[in-house]
Amino acid sequence: MKRQLTEHQKYLDKLKKDKAIVIFFRIAILVIFLAVWELLADLKVIDSFLFSSPSRVLVTLFNLHSSGELYSHIFTTIFETLAGFFIASILGVLIAVVLWWSEKLRKIFEPYIVVLNSLPKIALGPMIIIWFGAGMKAIIFMAVIITVIVTIINMLSGFIETDENKILLLKSMGATKSQIFLKLVLPSALPTMISTLKINVGMSWIGSIMGEYLVSKRGLGYLIVYGGQVFKLDLVMASTVVLCVLAAIMYLVVSIVERTLIKWK
Amino acid sequence: MNKILTLENVTLSYQTKTSETKAVSNLNFSVSEGEFVAMIGPSGCGKTSILSLIAGLIKPSSGKITMFGSEVIEPSKRTGYMLQKDHLFPWRNIENNVFLPLEIKKNKTEENLAYSKGLIEKYGLREFSKYYPKQLSGGMRQRVALIRTLSQKPDILLLDEPFSALDYQTRLSVCDDVYKIIKSEKKTAILVTHDISEAISLADTVLVLSKRPATILDSCEMDIDKSLTPLKRREHPAFSKWFEKLWKELNL
């Protein structure tokens, strides 16, 4: 018994060690990258005017922070992204439900969805600006159309994949169509829904930043475009770093939602 | 004994783009209360269609199915369907899987819940009632599936090859298990299978079906001691006699 315990202990130790190695290298890569970048810039191997440097990025971030400007840009972009994310996710799921419900509607709309999916949504940019004006509405709309089509396609295929035999089982119990949907189709598509939400995090960021590239006076996308135009690469890099952090946080939130929702796995 | 289910001249055809397929042709048989009927036939002969007809999931093209004196036109709570796999919902724990039919029928009364909990306890699953299906073995899951079917208090159980997804060892023991439960709950059962020995070891009457379109070739009363468990029946001298006879009839 004691021997077994030590075997198990060894195994656990090995797991711990493996995890530590992974975490160590994750951090090491970042640190080395930043150090090399800083070093190359300091030694003038790369032109820090064009490539910026970690220290310059930090200084830029600090300046943006002390002027208070940083937060208004961050909040603008987060608001647009979250609005796009929620509107598109809810709308997309609802449309997918309707299309699951009626096979006829599904067949009718199939070619439209396929075409809309392949269309680069940025092509609609000029029209969106004309329709919604050069403001936040246009940007949110951009985020929504980029995200909603993917949501519809993913969720619909998640709904359709429901096990036919389980549907048969519910029918034999006398279940109505709405019971089949609520008791079986929706819960079995929950993993699909979570993975769709994860994709949507990325999609709505693309939408809001792309929207800000087209029209905006505020936001991280605006900072990036502005920084590029006036050759302030420090600003571009600093905004990109902030974007990375924000996207990671949003992804983390979805992962936590996933863990609380899908306990049975 | 009194006949609770009768099929008269039942015929079923499927329509496809290219043709009309006859799945069942001129089916006539009846089932008495408490009887265990097994239907055997070559695979793809329309056995499952017959169960779907009795369950009221599909309507016959012609003919009439009568259950407890009234015609079957839609799924009724007097029948309980059990499929090849357990089809437990992985996101529901055992107890909530068993309650599913009650939820569907909006019948979750104190009394019915107590009855279902009683079944869970009686058949040795009480300590697992908060477990998720993934944590149970295949045999146990199939037992849960049976209890789920029983929770709506059906009079007739429709069993569509309920053991075929299990490995041989488990299959024999689950077969005994299910038989015992069905007998102790005094239910009528109709089993569909392609396994001749399973049919002989479980049934009072074995119906032999023809190739598609399915019709009844023979109806055999099993004369094996009814007090024996399915596993013991396999050792009975009459078992091999029946096996040989049914084997020949199936391969005609």
Side-chain angles (χ1 to χ4, degrees):
Chain A
M1 192 63 204
K2 218 167 200 174
R3 222 188 86 81
Q4 266 181 356
L5 210 72
T6 51
E7 281 292 319
H8 184 65
Q9 197 55 47
K10 267 187 202 160
Y11 172 73
L12 288 183
D13 286 348
K14 191 184 173 305
L15 279 188
K16 231 184 227 168
K17 205 175 139 201
D18 285 350
K19 201 179 171 191
I21 290 173
V22 169
I23 292 173
F24 172 76
F25 277 102
R26 276 181 186 166
I27 296 169
I29 287 173
L30 186 67
V31 171
I32 291 169
F33 172 74
L34 292 175
V36 169
W37 185 11
E38 185 67 45
L39 205 67
L40 291 178
D42 286 353
L43 298 173
K44 311 267 184 235
V45 180
I46 55 171
D47 185 349
S48 57
F49 178 67
L50 292 181
F51 291 95
S52 188
S53 74
S55 56
R56 293 174 67 140
V57 167
L58 275 179
V59 170
T60 313
L61 281 179
F62 184 77
N63 289 340
L64 282 172
H65 157 78
S66 31
S67 71
E69 228 184 310
L70 181 62
Y71 303 101
S72 98
H73 290 299
I74 287 181
F75 284 126
T76 306
T77 305
I78 286 185
F79 179 78
E80 291 159 355
T81 308
L82 287 182
F85 175 82
F86 283 111
I87 294 171
S89 299
I90 292 167
L91 196 67
V93 172
L94 288 180
I95 293 173
V97 172
V98 171
L99 295 181
W100 173 81
W101 204 279
S102 158
E103 205 186 336
K104 208 156 259 160
L105 279 182
R106 188 155 78 229
K107 279 186 181 151
I108 292 170
F109 283 104
E110 201 187 354
Y112 292 98
I113 292 172
V114 170
V115 171
L116 282 176
N117 184 43
S118 343
L119 177 82
K121 262 62 77 177
I122 193 139
L124 303 174
M127 272 183 276
I128 293 171
I129 296 170
I130 293 166
W131 293 339
F132 290 93
M136 210 180 240
K137 261 197 250 163
I139 296 164
I140 293 172
F141 187 78
M142 184 62 106
V144 169
I145 54 167
I146 284 180
T147 313
V148 77
I149 306 289
V150 183
T151 311
I152 295 172
I153 291 175
N154 281 344
M155 288 313 297
L156 185 57
S157 72
F159 290 156
I160 291 173
E161 269 166 28
T162 311
D163 190 341
E164 283 296 328
N165 282 315
K166 285 200 173 68
I167 295 179
L168 184 79
L169 183 79
L170 282 183
K171 278 186 181 160
S172 80
M173 296 173 189
T176 59
K177 194 152 188 175
S178 60
Q179 280 180 323
I180 291 175
F181 182 77
L182 291 174
K183 303 252 182 243
L184 173 62
V185 176
L186 193 63
S188 65
L190 206 58
T192 312
M193 189 172 318
I194 297 292
S195 69
T196 306
L197 290 185
K198 282 182 175 169
I199 295 169
N200 287 0
V201 169
M203 285 293 177
S204 50
W205 279 108
I206 294 176
S208 62
I209 298 299
M210 218 154 75
E212 287 183 356
Y213 280 8
L214 286 175
V215 284
S216 66
K217 296 174 196 74
R218 233 185 322 169
L220 294 165
Y222 161 79
L223 276 188
I224 292 172
V225 171
Y226 170 76
Q229 283 164 351
V230 298
F231 256 74
K232 274 194 188 166
L233 273 305
D234 298 338
L235 191 58
V236 175
M237 289 294 181
S239 314
T240 312
V241 169
V242 174
L243 263 182
C244 279
V245 173
L246 292 179
I249 292 172
M250 199 158 152
Y251 189 87
L252 209 68
V253 170
V254 175
S255 299
I256 292 168
V257 171
E258 173 176 26
R259 243 171 284 157
T260 45
L261 274 182
I262 311 184
K263 271 179 278 183
W264 49 270
K265 272 210 163 171
Chain B
M1 253 201 275
N2 101 16
K3 304 282 182 202
I4 55 174
L5 173 74
T6 316
L7 279 79
E8 293 165 87
N9 297 318
V10 169
T11 298
L12 175 74
S13 310
Y14 283 116
Q15 303 295 337
T16 61
K17 248 184 203 169
T18 47
S19 65
E20 186 184 77
T21 317
K22 222 174 194 189
V24 175
S25 149
N26 262 319
L27 208 61
N28 285 289
F29 71 89
S30 53
V31 178
S32 313
E33 195 165 1
E35 195 181 8
F36 201 125
V37 176
M39 288 193 264
I40 54 172
S43 52
C45 75
K47 292 181 296 240
T48 301
S49 303
I50 298 173
L51 286 192
S52 299
L53 283 166
I54 298 170
L57 289 167
I58 45 178
K59 288 194 185 77
S61 310
S62 66
K64 197 175 165 190
I65 303 172
T66 321
M67 195 193 298
F68 296 100
S70 54
E71 197 173 346
V72 174
I73 40 168
E74 56 177 10
S76 134
K77 67 181 231 181
R78 308 197 79 159
T79 53
Y81 210 140
M82 199 169 152
L83 299 160
Q84 281 186 24
K85 291 200 201 144
D86 53 73
H87 290 299
L88 298 177
F89 291 5
W91 54 87
R92 284 171 171 252
N93 63 25
I94 298 309
E95 194 172 68
N96 284 326
N97 264 295
V98 170
F99 297 157
L100 182 67
L102 303 177
E103 277 177 38
I104 297 295
K105 299 257 163 59
K106 298 198 168 67
N107 226 345
K108 244 176 137 175
T109 58
E110 288 286 324
E111 190 202 335
N112 286 333
L113 287 180
Y115 175 77
S116 301
K117 280 184 188 156
L119 287 173
I120 292 175
E121 170 138 26
K122 190 165 165 194
Y123 298 113
L125 288 162
R126 199 178 64 132
E127 54 183 309
F128 300 103
S129 59
K130 301 290 180 205
Y131 280 44
Y132 284 90
K134 219 186 140 188
Q135 297 165 285
L136 266 58
S137 69
M140 275 167 106
R141 292 169 58 128
Q142 204 58 339
R143 202 190 309 167
V144 176
L146 178 63
I147 293 172
R148 175 183 60 194
T149 315
L150 292 172
S151 74
Q152 52 187 331
K153 300 183 189 165
D155 296 296
I156 305 177
L157 293 174
L158 306 173
L159 313 169
D160 189 353
E161 308 210 19
F163 314 116
S164 62
L166 303 168
D167 63 78
Y168 192 69
Q169 282 298 336
T170 319
R171 197 164 168 168
L172 292 180
S173 72
V174 174
C175 196
D176 260 21
D177 209 28
V178 165
Y179 181 80
K180 229 177 358 197
I181 297 174
I182 289 174
K183 282 296 155 189
S184 79
E185 299 298 320
K186 297 187 182 64
K187 300 293 182 190
T188 308
I190 303 171
L191 167 80
V192 145
T193 179
H194 60 263
D195 185 331
I196 301 172
S197 41
E198 199 170 280
I200 304 170
S201 66
L202 281 167
D204 302 317
T205 310
V206 175
L207 301 176
V208 182
L209 298 175
S210 67
K211 267 186 245 151
R212 187 182 276 261
T215 190
I216 291 170
L217 291 177
D218 195 8
S219 167
C220 309
E221 293 275 335
M222 296 294 111
D223 54 3
I224 304 175
D225 184 358
K226 297 278 158 42
S227 64
L228 294 175
T229 65
L231 196 59
K232 291 277 173 228
R233 286 193 208 178
R234 287 173 188 257
E235 294 160 10
H236 195 273
F239 182 85
S240 49
K241 174 194 85 184
W242 281 115
F243 190 91
E244 213 168 309
K245 178 174 160 39
L246 294 172
W247 168 265
K248 277 188 189 137
E249 281 184 9
L250 269 182
N251 287 291
L252 274 182

